[in-house]
Amino acid sequence: MLSGFKTKAKNWIRGHDTILFYCGESAFTWNPPRQEHGQKYLDRFDKVAEDGRRYFAGRGNRRYLDEVIAKGKAVGDVWSDIMSFQQTPTAKEKVGYPTQKPLKLLTRILLASSNEGDVVFDPFAGCATTCVAAEANFRQWAGIDISPKAAELVDRRIKDELGGLSKCIQRKDIPKRTDIGKLPPYKTHRAALYGLQSGNCNGCGTHFETRHLHVDHIIARNKGGTDHIENLQLLCGHCKSVKGDRGMEYLKAKLQL
């Protein structure tokens, strides 16, 4: 029998997400995560020892309640104790960010995979959950996001949720790479791009002769884009005019209207 949010689902029920983790060649940090035991399990400790401690005897061995509680329960591969925002749509910590994850989730991951004083880096800071979890657990941290809203959320959430003054430093200048050397003029890639795109505009997809296509930066130069061929494309005059110095997501959205 289904109950709660599952009965209202209009698609496949997303009971859990899969979290992937990676590390380099060196040994990774691992602090085995623990959680509280369920009350049903704790109720099994119904015997009282000579010193007044409650215990459970199984297979000839005693397990004492206070030691079990202190050690906690090993966390399995399905974290059912952490509720998703689909299950708790009115959660107080929600800020309206579509990809926001619960603070408890990021806290568990950080505690398991880092130690106090370590540096935590989130290249897609979004609504700042990783940054808040790191700050609350005495980790150094840095977050990157293309949205100015992300920096605002980091500052506000650290003040509101941690009850202290924010020490966030927001960088608005675009770091310049120093390891790429001198690149050839980006327009010299026209012929290669024409072959890669089969002569089609990378926006509307229409086929054009070479002379009707313009070399364009996928990520604009003023947004940190480089002249590498991987950051170049061919657009027709109309698509290039619509896109301007904005990202491709803007052009794609305009073309769908």
Side-chain angles (χ1 to χ4, degrees), residues 107-156:
T107 297
R108 175 171 292 173
I109 293 172
L110 293 186
L111 291 178
S113 300
S114 66
N115 298 313
E116 287 190 14
D118 285 352
V119 178
V120 175
F121 174 57
D122 186 352
F124 304 97
C127 59
T129 304
T130 302
C131 305
V132 173
E135 179 76 14
N137 290 282
F138 308 103
R139 273 72 171 161
Q140 302 180 73
W141 55 268
I144 297 176
D145 201 277
I146 196 171
S147 169
K149 186 68 176 178
E152 177 188 326
L153 287 170
V154 171
D155 192 62
R156 175 160 60 84

mmCIF file of all heavy atoms in Angstrom, residues 107-156:
data_model
loop_
_atom_site.group_PDB
_atom_site.id
_atom_site.type_symbol
_atom_site.label_atom_id
_atom_site.label_comp_id
_atom_site.label_asym_id
_atom_site.label_seq_id
_atom_site.Cartn_x
_atom_site.Cartn_y
_atom_site.Cartn_z
ATOM 1 N N THR A 107 25.900 17.442 4.627
ATOM 2 C CA THR A 107 26.657 17.316 5.867
ATOM 3 C C THR A 107 27.199 15.902 6.022
ATOM 4 O O THR A 107 28.364 15.701 6.383
ATOM 5 C CB THR A 107 25.765 17.666 7.072
ATOM 6 O OG1 THR A 107 25.355 19.040 6.973
ATOM 7 C CG2 THR A 107 26.513 17.473 8.375
ATOM 8 N N ARG A 108 26.381 14.917 5.739
ATOM 9 C CA ARG A 108 26.832 13.523 5.850
ATOM 10 C C ARG A 108 27.976 13.248 4.896
ATOM 11 O O ARG A 108 28.966 12.601 5.250
ATOM 12 C CB ARG A 108 25.674 12.566 5.577
ATOM 13 C CG ARG A 108 26.089 11.079 5.556
ATOM 14 C CD ARG A 108 24.897 10.156 5.508
ATOM 15 N NE ARG A 108 24.154 10.216 6.768
ATOM 16 C CZ ARG A 108 22.985 9.604 6.970
ATOM 17 N NH1 ARG A 108 22.428 8.909 5.990
ATOM 18 N NH2 ARG A 108 22.374 9.683 8.131
ATOM 19 N N ILE A 109 27.867 13.729 3.666
ATOM 20 C CA ILE A 109 28.915 13.498 2.674
ATOM 21 C C ILE A 109 30.221 14.171 3.088
ATOM 22 O O ILE A 109 31.301 13.574 3.007
ATOM 23 C CB ILE A 109 28.459 14.018 1.296
ATOM 24 C CG1 ILE A 109 27.298 13.172 0.773
ATOM 25 C CG2 ILE A 109 29.611 14.002 0.299
ATOM 26 C CD1 ILE A 109 26.646 13.722 -0.481
ATOM 27 N N LEU A 110 30.139 15.421 3.572
ATOM 28 C CA LEU A 110 31.352 16.154 3.962
ATOM 29 C C LEU A 110 32.028 15.523 5.176
ATOM 30 O O LEU A 110 33.249 15.417 5.226
ATOM 31 C CB LEU A 110 31.016 17.610 4.251
ATOM 32 C CG LEU A 110 30.573 18.469 3.066
ATOM 33 C CD1 LEU A 110 30.430 19.920 3.491
ATOM 34 C CD2 LEU A 110 31.548 18.369 1.921
ATOM 35 N N LEU A 111 31.233 15.112 6.167
ATOM 36 C CA LEU A 111 31.816 14.508 7.359
ATOM 37 C C LEU A 111 32.506 13.185 7.029
ATOM 38 O O LEU A 111 33.524 12.835 7.633
ATOM 39 C CB LEU A 111 30.729 14.276 8.418
ATOM 40 C CG LEU A 111 30.136 15.527 9.060
ATOM 41 C CD1 LEU A 111 29.040 15.158 10.050
ATOM 42 C CD2 LEU A 111 31.209 16.361 9.757
ATOM 43 N N ALA A 112 31.954 12.449 6.066
ATOM 44 C CA ALA A 112 32.535 11.162 5.690
ATOM 45 C C ALA A 112 33.790 11.322 4.838
ATOM 46 O O ALA A 112 34.706 10.497 4.922
ATOM 47 C CB ALA A 112 31.504 10.329 4.932
ATOM 48 N N SER A 113 33.855 12.380 4.040
ATOM 49 C CA SER A 113 34.920 12.495 3.042
ATOM 50 C C SER A 113 35.909 13.624 3.282
ATOM 51 O O SER A 113 36.700 13.953 2.397
ATOM 52 C CB SER A 113 34.289 12.660 1.654
ATOM 53 O OG SER A 113 33.477 11.550 1.345
ATOM 54 N N SER A 114 35.855 14.256 4.452
ATOM 55 C CA SER A 114 36.818 15.319 4.757
ATOM 56 C C SER A 114 37.009 15.417 6.260
ATOM 57 O O SER A 114 36.213 14.874 7.040
ATOM 58 C CB SER A 114 36.337 16.662 4.202
ATOM 59 O OG SER A 114 35.161 17.091 4.874
ATOM 60 N N ASN A 115 38.056 16.110 6.659
ATOM 61 C CA ASN A 115 38.336 16.340 8.075
ATOM 62 C C ASN A 115 38.304 17.833 8.359
ATOM 63 O O ASN A 115 38.362 18.658 7.436
ATOM 64 C CB ASN A 115 39.714 15.771 8.443
ATOM 65 C CG ASN A 115 39.786 14.262 8.247
ATOM 66 O OD1 ASN A 115 38.884 13.529 8.668
ATOM 67 N ND2 ASN A 115 40.843 13.803 7.604
ATOM 68 N N GLU A 116 38.230 18.192 9.624
ATOM 69 C CA GLU A 116 38.237 19.608 10.000
ATOM 70 C C GLU A 116 39.486 20.284 9.432
ATOM 71 O O GLU A 116 40.585 19.741 9.506
ATOM 72 C CB GLU A 116 38.201 19.766 11.524
ATOM 73 C CG GLU A 116 36.861 19.451 12.143
ATOM 74 C CD GLU A 116 36.779 19.857 13.612
ATOM 75 O OE1 GLU A 116 37.660 20.624 14.059
ATOM 76 O OE2 GLU A 116 35.857 19.397 14.301
ATOM 77 N N GLY A 117 39.293 21.461 8.866
ATOM 78 C CA GLY A 117 40.406 22.199 8.286
ATOM 79 C C GLY A 117 40.646 21.907 6.820
ATOM 80 O O GLY A 117 41.367 22.654 6.151
ATOM 81 N N ASP A 118 40.062 20.809 6.295
ATOM 82 C CA ASP A 118 40.214 20.504 4.870
ATOM 83 C C ASP A 118 39.488 21.544 4.020
ATOM 84 O O ASP A 118 38.598 22.245 4.503
ATOM 85 C CB ASP A 118 39.643 19.115 4.555
ATOM 86 C CG ASP A 118 40.540 17.984 5.042
ATOM 87 O OD1 ASP A 118 41.663 18.281 5.486
ATOM 88 O OD2 ASP A 118 40.104 16.825 4.991
ATOM 89 N N VAL A 119 39.873 21.610 2.758
ATOM 90 C CA VAL A 119 39.233 22.540 1.831
ATOM 91 C C VAL A 119 38.183 21.798 1.007
ATOM 92 O O VAL A 119 38.480 20.772 0.388
ATOM 93 C CB VAL A 119 40.258 23.188 0.883
ATOM 94 C CG1 VAL A 119 39.550 24.119 -0.108
ATOM 95 C CG2 VAL A 119 41.302 23.959 1.674
ATOM 96 N N VAL A 120 36.965 22.299 1.011
ATOM 97 C CA VAL A 120 35.864 21.733 0.237
ATOM 98 C C VAL A 120 35.580 22.671 -0.935
ATOM 99 O O VAL A 120 35.410 23.875 -0.739
ATOM 100 C CB VAL A 120 34.605 21.576 1.111
ATOM 101 C CG1 VAL A 120 33.417 21.109 0.260
ATOM 102 C CG2 VAL A 120 34.867 20.605 2.250
ATOM 103 N N PHE A 121 35.525 22.120 -2.129
ATOM 104 C CA PHE A 121 35.302 22.934 -3.326
ATOM 105 C C PHE A 121 34.023 22.486 -4.028
ATOM 106 O O PHE A 121 33.848 21.305 -4.307
ATOM 107 C CB PHE A 121 36.492 22.785 -4.273
ATOM 108 C CG PHE A 121 36.305 23.466 -5.604
ATOM 109 C CD1 PHE A 121 36.030 24.828 -5.663
ATOM 110 C CD2 PHE A 121 36.416 22.750 -6.788
ATOM 111 C CE1 PHE A 121 35.860 25.463 -6.890
ATOM 112 C CE2 PHE A 121 36.245 23.374 -8.016
ATOM 113 C CZ PHE A 121 35.966 24.727 -8.070
ATOM 114 N N ASP A 122 33.142 23.439 -4.280
ATOM 115 C CA ASP A 122 31.906 23.157 -5.012
ATOM 116 C C ASP A 122 31.897 24.009 -6.284
ATOM 117 O O ASP A 122 31.680 25.211 -6.222
ATOM 118 C CB ASP A 122 30.683 23.480 -4.151
ATOM 119 C CG ASP A 122 29.382 23.061 -4.821
ATOM 120 O OD1 ASP A 122 29.420 22.660 -5.997
ATOM 121 O OD2 ASP A 122 28.321 23.118 -4.166
ATOM 122 N N PRO A 123 32.148 23.397 -7.462
ATOM 123 C CA PRO A 123 32.209 24.180 -8.698
ATOM 124 C C PRO A 123 30.844 24.596 -9.231
ATOM 125 O O PRO A 123 30.764 25.349 -10.196
ATOM 126 C CB PRO A 123 32.909 23.228 -9.678
ATOM 127 C CG PRO A 123 32.536 21.869 -9.177
ATOM 128 C CD PRO A 123 32.463 21.990 -7.687
ATOM 129 N N PHE A 124 29.772 24.097 -8.616
ATOM 130 C CA PHE A 124 28.410 24.494 -8.994
ATOM 131 C C PHE A 124 27.664 24.833 -7.707
ATOM 132 O O PHE A 124 26.775 24.101 -7.267
ATOM 133 C CB PHE A 124 27.713 23.359 -9.756
ATOM 134 C CG PHE A 124 28.473 22.905 -10.975
ATOM 135 C CD1 PHE A 124 29.306 21.796 -10.917
ATOM 136 C CD2 PHE A 124 28.372 23.605 -12.161
ATOM 137 C CE1 PHE A 124 30.018 21.377 -12.033
ATOM 138 C CE2 PHE A 124 29.083 23.191 -13.289
ATOM 139 C CZ PHE A 124 29.909 22.078 -13.225
ATOM 140 N N ALA A 125 28.029 25.954 -7.111
ATOM 141 C CA ALA A 125 27.579 26.274 -5.745
ATOM 142 C C ALA A 125 26.073 26.421 -5.623
ATOM 143 O O ALA A 125 25.500 26.124 -4.577
ATOM 144 C CB ALA A 125 28.269 27.562 -5.277
ATOM 145 N N GLY A 126 25.422 26.902 -6.678
ATOM 146 C CA GLY A 126 23.961 26.970 -6.666
ATOM 147 C C GLY A 126 23.389 27.696 -5.473
ATOM 148 O O GLY A 126 23.649 28.879 -5.255
ATOM 149 N N CYS A 127 22.629 26.979 -4.650
ATOM 150 C CA CYS A 127 21.974 27.611 -3.500
ATOM 151 C C CYS A 127 22.813 27.510 -2.235
ATOM 152 O O CYS A 127 22.298 27.724 -1.133
ATOM 153 C CB CYS A 127 20.595 27.001 -3.278
ATOM 154 S SG CYS A 127 20.648 25.233 -2.979
ATOM 155 N N ALA A 128 24.086 27.159 -2.365
ATOM 156 C CA ALA A 128 25.070 27.275 -1.274
ATOM 157 C C ALA A 128 24.999 26.196 -0.214
ATOM 158 O O ALA A 128 25.643 26.313 0.817
ATOM 159 C CB ALA A 128 24.947 28.647 -0.599
ATOM 160 N N THR A 129 24.270 25.105 -0.428
ATOM 161 C CA THR A 129 24.150 24.079 0.608
ATOM 162 C C THR A 129 25.500 23.490 0.989
ATOM 163 O O THR A 129 25.802 23.304 2.166
ATOM 164 C CB THR A 129 23.200 22.967 0.143
ATOM 165 O OG1 THR A 129 21.933 23.538 -0.207
ATOM 166 C CG2 THR A 129 22.985 21.945 1.252
ATOM 167 N N THR A 130 26.349 23.193 0.005
ATOM 168 C CA THR A 130 27.671 22.635 0.301
ATOM 169 C C THR A 130 28.505 23.613 1.113
ATOM 170 O O THR A 130 29.182 23.229 2.077
ATOM 171 C CB THR A 130 28.410 22.280 -1.005
ATOM 172 O OG1 THR A 130 27.631 21.356 -1.759
ATOM 173 C CG2 THR A 130 29.768 21.663 -0.714
ATOM 174 N N CYS A 131 28.460 24.883 0.757
ATOM 175 C CA CYS A 131 29.235 25.906 1.466
ATOM 176 C C CYS A 131 28.767 26.048 2.905
ATOM 177 O O CYS A 131 29.579 26.171 3.833
ATOM 178 C CB CYS A 131 29.113 27.244 0.745
ATOM 179 S SG CYS A 131 29.588 27.203 -1.001
ATOM 180 N N VAL A 132 27.459 26.026 3.109
ATOM 181 C CA VAL A 132 26.905 26.147 4.463
ATOM 182 C C VAL A 132 27.298 24.930 5.299
ATOM 183 O O VAL A 132 27.695 25.062 6.464
ATOM 184 C CB VAL A 132 25.371 26.290 4.415
ATOM 185 C CG1 VAL A 132 24.773 26.247 5.820
ATOM 186 C CG2 VAL A 132 24.979 27.595 3.733
ATOM 187 N N ALA A 133 27.210 23.739 4.711
ATOM 188 C CA ALA A 133 27.586 22.522 5.435
ATOM 189 C C ALA A 133 29.061 22.544 5.814
ATOM 190 O O ALA A 133 29.438 22.142 6.928
ATOM 191 C CB ALA A 133 27.280 21.295 4.586
ATOM 192 N N ALA A 134 29.918 23.027 4.908
ATOM 193 C CA ALA A 134 31.350 23.100 5.189
ATOM 194 C C ALA A 134 31.642 24.110 6.294
ATOM 195 O O ALA A 134 32.427 23.838 7.218
ATOM 196 C CB ALA A 134 32.106 23.481 3.913
ATOM 197 N N GLU A 135 31.025 25.275 6.236
ATOM 198 C CA GLU A 135 31.231 26.309 7.252
ATOM 199 C C GLU A 135 30.781 25.820 8.623
ATOM 200 O O GLU A 135 31.462 26.046 9.631
ATOM 201 C CB GLU A 135 30.450 27.564 6.853
ATOM 202 C CG GLU A 135 30.558 28.721 7.836
ATOM 203 C CD GLU A 135 31.883 29.452 7.766
ATOM 204 O OE1 GLU A 135 32.641 29.248 6.787
ATOM 205 O OE2 GLU A 135 32.171 30.237 8.691
ATOM 206 N N ALA A 136 29.644 25.121 8.681
ATOM 207 C CA ALA A 136 29.104 24.649 9.952
ATOM 208 C C ALA A 136 29.966 23.559 10.581
ATOM 209 O O ALA A 136 29.925 23.353 11.802
ATOM 210 C CB ALA A 136 27.676 24.126 9.755
ATOM 211 N N ASN A 137 30.756 22.868 9.757
ATOM 212 C CA ASN A 137 31.563 21.749 10.261
ATOM 213 C C ASN A 137 33.061 22.021 10.179
ATOM 214 O O ASN A 137 33.865 21.104 10.069
ATOM 215 C CB ASN A 137 31.202 20.475 9.482
ATOM 216 C CG ASN A 137 29.808 19.981 9.812
ATOM 217 O OD1 ASN A 137 29.596 19.361 10.851
ATOM 218 N ND2 ASN A 137 28.841 20.266 8.953
ATOM 219 N N PHE A 138 33.415 23.306 10.233
ATOM 220 C CA PHE A 138 34.801 23.744 10.379
ATOM 221 C C PHE A 138 35.698 23.299 9.223
ATOM 222 O O PHE A 138 36.854 22.945 9.416
ATOM 223 C CB PHE A 138 35.369 23.259 11.714
ATOM 224 C CG PHE A 138 34.517 23.618 12.896
ATOM 225 C CD1 PHE A 138 33.710 22.657 13.498
ATOM 226 C CD2 PHE A 138 34.473 24.917 13.386
ATOM 227 C CE1 PHE A 138 32.890 22.993 14.578
ATOM 228 C CE2 PHE A 138 33.662 25.254 14.459
ATOM 229 C CZ PHE A 138 32.861 24.292 15.054
ATOM 230 N N ARG A 139 35.154 23.334 8.021
ATOM 231 C CA ARG A 139 35.944 23.116 6.823
ATOM 232 C C ARG A 139 36.150 24.451 6.109
ATOM 233 O O ARG A 139 35.296 25.325 6.188
ATOM 234 C CB ARG A 139 35.233 22.174 5.842
ATOM 235 C CG ARG A 139 35.485 20.673 6.050
ATOM 236 C CD ARG A 139 34.818 20.126 7.243
ATOM 237 N NE ARG A 139 34.915 18.659 7.292
ATOM 238 C CZ ARG A 139 34.730 17.954 8.388
ATOM 239 N NH1 ARG A 139 34.456 18.573 9.536
ATOM 240 N NH2 ARG A 139 34.815 16.643 8.353
ATOM 241 N N GLN A 140 37.289 24.600 5.457
ATOM 242 C CA GLN A 140 37.463 25.733 4.560
ATOM 243 C C GLN A 140 36.703 25.403 3.276
ATOM 244 O O GLN A 140 36.513 24.233 2.949
ATOM 245 C CB GLN A 140 38.940 25.954 4.254
ATOM 246 C CG GLN A 140 39.801 26.198 5.490
ATOM 247 C CD GLN A 140 41.241 26.408 5.124
ATOM 248 O OE1 GLN A 140 41.631 27.437 4.587
ATOM 249 N NE2 GLN A 140 42.075 25.407 5.400
ATOM 250 N N TRP A 141 36.280 26.408 2.546
ATOM 251 C CA TRP A 141 35.498 26.096 1.357
ATOM 252 C C TRP A 141 35.592 27.197 0.316
ATOM 253 O O TRP A 141 35.939 28.335 0.613
ATOM 254 C CB TRP A 141 34.023 25.867 1.727
ATOM 255 C CG TRP A 141 33.391 27.011 2.472
ATOM 256 C CD1 TRP A 141 33.315 27.162 3.832
ATOM 257 C CD2 TRP A 141 32.782 28.181 1.921
ATOM 258 N NE1 TRP A 141 32.680 28.333 4.152
ATOM 259 C CE2 TRP A 141 32.344 28.978 2.997
ATOM 260 C CE3 TRP A 141 32.552 28.620 0.613
ATOM 261 C CZ2 TRP A 141 31.685 30.205 2.800
ATOM 262 C CZ3 TRP A 141 31.903 29.834 0.426
ATOM 263 C CH2 TRP A 141 31.472 30.602 1.529
ATOM 264 N N ALA A 142 35.295 26.811 -0.909
ATOM 265 C CA ALA A 142 35.194 27.760 -2.021
ATOM 266 C C ALA A 142 34.091 27.260 -2.933
ATOM 267 O O ALA A 142 33.963 26.058 -3.178
ATOM 268 C CB ALA A 142 36.512 27.852 -2.784
ATOM 269 N N GLY A 143 33.275 28.178 -3.413
ATOM 270 C CA GLY A 143 32.185 27.817 -4.308
ATOM 271 C C GLY A 143 32.221 28.679 -5.558
ATOM 272 O O GLY A 143 32.608 29.843 -5.502
ATOM 273 N N ILE A 144 31.850 28.092 -6.680
ATOM 274 C CA ILE A 144 31.814 28.820 -7.948
ATOM 275 C C ILE A 144 30.430 28.661 -8.559
ATOM 276 O O ILE A 144 29.857 27.575 -8.547
ATOM 277 C CB ILE A 144 32.852 28.273 -8.946
ATOM 278 C CG1 ILE A 144 34.272 28.463 -8.411
ATOM 279 C CG2 ILE A 144 32.722 28.939 -10.301
ATOM 280 C CD1 ILE A 144 35.322 27.859 -9.300
ATOM 281 N N ASP A 145 29.898 29.731 -9.080
ATOM 282 C CA ASP A 145 28.640 29.639 -9.814
ATOM 283 C C ASP A 145 28.544 30.841 -10.747
ATOM 284 O O ASP A 145 29.010 31.934 -10.412
ATOM 285 C CB ASP A 145 27.432 29.609 -8.874
ATOM 286 C CG ASP A 145 26.204 29.017 -9.549
ATOM 287 O OD1 ASP A 145 25.503 29.749 -10.256
ATOM 288 O OD2 ASP A 145 25.960 27.811 -9.371
ATOM 289 N N ILE A 146 27.922 30.631 -11.901
ATOM 290 C CA ILE A 146 27.797 31.706 -12.877
ATOM 291 C C ILE A 146 26.716 32.701 -12.487
ATOM 292 O O ILE A 146 26.669 33.819 -12.967
ATOM 293 C CB ILE A 146 27.505 31.114 -14.276
ATOM 294 C CG1 ILE A 146 27.758 32.144 -15.369
ATOM 295 C CG2 ILE A 146 26.078 30.563 -14.359
ATOM 296 C CD1 ILE A 146 27.709 31.572 -16.769
ATOM 297 N N SER A 147 25.833 32.302 -11.573
ATOM 298 C CA SER A 147 24.719 33.166 -11.172
ATOM 299 C C SER A 147 25.089 34.056 -9.986
ATOM 300 O O SER A 147 25.549 33.553 -8.960
ATOM 301 C CB SER A 147 23.500 32.318 -10.805
ATOM 302 O OG SER A 147 22.506 33.101 -10.183
ATOM 303 N N PRO A 148 24.896 35.369 -10.097
ATOM 304 C CA PRO A 148 25.135 36.262 -8.955
ATOM 305 C C PRO A 148 24.254 35.897 -7.762
ATOM 306 O O PRO A 148 24.596 36.184 -6.629
ATOM 307 C CB PRO A 148 24.774 37.650 -9.505
ATOM 308 C CG PRO A 148 24.890 37.522 -10.982
ATOM 309 C CD PRO A 148 24.459 36.122 -11.294
ATOM 310 N N LYS A 149 23.118 35.253 -8.020
ATOM 311 C CA LYS A 149 22.201 34.855 -6.954
ATOM 312 C C LYS A 149 22.874 33.881 -5.998
ATOM 313 O O LYS A 149 22.587 33.884 -4.798
ATOM 314 C CB LYS A 149 20.951 34.209 -7.565
ATOM 315 C CG LYS A 149 19.853 33.893 -6.555
ATOM 316 C CD LYS A 149 19.244 35.159 -5.991
ATOM 317 C CE LYS A 149 18.071 34.835 -5.052
ATOM 318 N NZ LYS A 149 17.494 36.063 -4.456
ATOM 319 N N ALA A 150 23.777 33.054 -6.514
ATOM 320 C CA ALA A 150 24.451 32.069 -5.678
ATOM 321 C C ALA A 150 25.254 32.737 -4.569
ATOM 322 O O ALA A 150 25.213 32.313 -3.408
ATOM 323 C CB ALA A 150 25.357 31.183 -6.533
ATOM 324 N N ALA A 151 25.995 33.774 -4.913
ATOM 325 C CA ALA A 151 26.782 34.491 -3.905
ATOM 326 C C ALA A 151 25.880 35.115 -2.853
ATOM 327 O O ALA A 151 26.198 35.121 -1.658
ATOM 328 C CB ALA A 151 27.635 35.563 -4.581
ATOM 329 N N GLU A 152 24.745 35.632 -3.296
ATOM 330 C CA GLU A 152 23.784 36.221 -2.357
ATOM 331 C C GLU A 152 23.251 35.164 -1.394
ATOM 332 O O GLU A 152 23.119 35.409 -0.186
ATOM 333 C CB GLU A 152 22.632 36.847 -3.137
ATOM 334 C CG GLU A 152 21.524 37.426 -2.264
ATOM 335 C CD GLU A 152 20.323 37.859 -3.077
ATOM 336 O OE1 GLU A 152 20.509 38.319 -4.223
ATOM 337 O OE2 GLU A 152 19.190 37.724 -2.573
ATOM 338 N N LEU A 153 22.966 33.964 -1.915
ATOM 339 C CA LEU A 153 22.433 32.895 -1.079
ATOM 340 C C LEU A 153 23.471 32.388 -0.085
ATOM 341 O O LEU A 153 23.147 32.070 1.062
ATOM 342 C CB LEU A 153 21.941 31.739 -1.957
ATOM 343 C CG LEU A 153 20.639 31.993 -2.714
ATOM 344 C CD1 LEU A 153 20.377 30.888 -3.725
ATOM 345 C CD2 LEU A 153 19.471 32.106 -1.741
ATOM 346 N N VAL A 154 24.742 32.295 -0.516
ATOM 347 C CA VAL A 154 25.806 31.898 0.413
ATOM 348 C C VAL A 154 25.847 32.857 1.589
ATOM 349 O O VAL A 154 25.840 32.440 2.754
ATOM 350 C CB VAL A 154 27.182 31.879 -0.293
ATOM 351 C CG1 VAL A 154 28.291 31.689 0.731
ATOM 352 C CG2 VAL A 154 27.240 30.764 -1.323
ATOM 353 N N ASP A 155 25.883 34.128 1.300
ATOM 354 C CA ASP A 155 25.987 35.144 2.340
ATOM 355 C C ASP A 155 24.779 35.097 3.284
ATOM 356 O O ASP A 155 24.925 35.088 4.502
ATOM 357 C CB ASP A 155 26.097 36.523 1.686
ATOM 358 C CG ASP A 155 26.497 37.601 2.673
ATOM 359 O OD1 ASP A 155 27.595 37.494 3.234
ATOM 360 O OD2 ASP A 155 25.698 38.527 2.898
ATOM 361 N N ARG A 156 23.583 35.018 2.699
ATOM 362 C CA ARG A 156 22.363 35.056 3.525
ATOM 363 C C ARG A 156 22.194 33.784 4.349
ATOM 364 O O ARG A 156 21.844 33.846 5.532
ATOM 365 C CB ARG A 156 21.144 35.266 2.632
ATOM 366 C CG ARG A 156 19.821 35.194 3.386
ATOM 367 C CD ARG A 156 18.706 35.864 2.602
ATOM 368 N NE ARG A 156 18.472 35.251 1.307
ATOM 369 C CZ ARG A 156 17.697 34.166 1.135
ATOM 370 N NH1 ARG A 156 17.126 33.583 2.165
ATOM 371 N NH2 ARG A 156 17.499 33.687 -0.080
#
